[in-house]
Amino acid sequence: MIKIKLQDLIKVLSADVAKNNSCIEMNFCIDNDIVYYDCWLGKMPDRDNPRKAVYWYGLVPDGSQAYDYTRLEDFIDAKVFSGKSMRDIIEKVIWYSLDGCSIEERLSDYLDGY
């Protein structure tokens, strides 16, 4: 059961995906929640303006709770988890993967200046 701090999540999501022509993708759940058991979030270059980034959530498998944001602050503070934000629930989030790798394997790449 892997937990990360909000400031570490912010550091991961601060990576310059437009400059690096890359994307960030994280899989997670909210502990003991029957709705948010297979969630995704990430950051990618904007399709319409590749020099800018888009932060996104895909929270339920049917795609009905998918959200895009252009500012990290709006993304972190969006009340998309049954009226709560990532800032509100971060202590309950269990992280499964980062960029298709285990959190333990990949997180240090971002935190140590990847």
Side-chain angles (χ1 to χ4, degrees):
M1 190 161 73
I2 302 300
K3 304 264 187 182
I4 64 174
K5 296 175 185 172
L6 183 61
Q7 64 262 26
D8 290 342
L9 175 61
I10 289 170
K11 188 164 185 179
V12 168
L13 294 173
S14 295
D16 191 345
V17 296
K19 177 183 172 190
N20 297 326
N21 193 26
S22 63
C23 64
I24 299 166
E25 190 173 75
M26 301 177 79
N27 184 220
F28 65 98
C29 74
I30 299 174
D31 197 17
N32 295 317
D33 193 297
I34 61 170
V35 175
Y36 302 114
Y37 60 89
D38 185 20
C39 303
W40 294 85
L41 65 76
K43 181 180 179 185
M44 64 186 188
D46 186 313
R47 287 183 183 99
D48 297 327
N49 185 351
R51 288 176 283 177
K52 293 191 176 191
V54 173
Y55 302 90
W56 57 268
Y57 286 112
L59 300 181
V60 294
D62 72 3
S64 64
Q65 293 185 41
Y67 311 97
D68 293 341
Y69 299 88
T70 56
R71 292 177 359 114
L72 180 56
E73 183 178 310
D74 295 338
F75 177 79
I76 296 295
D77 291 329
K79 304 236 181 244
V80 296
F81 301 97
S82 299
K84 295 186 178 182
S85 69
M86 180 58 76
R87 187 180 304 279
D88 299 331
I89 62 150
I90 191 75
E91 297 296 323
K92 295 180 180 182
V93 174
I94 298 171
W95 298 95
Y96 297 133
S97 67
L98 171 56
D99 298 341
C101 301
S102 71
I103 291 290
E104 303 95 335
E105 183 179 320
R106 190 78 169 113
L107 184 61
S108 63
D109 291 337
Y110 285 94
L111 300 182
D112 297 337
Y114 172 71

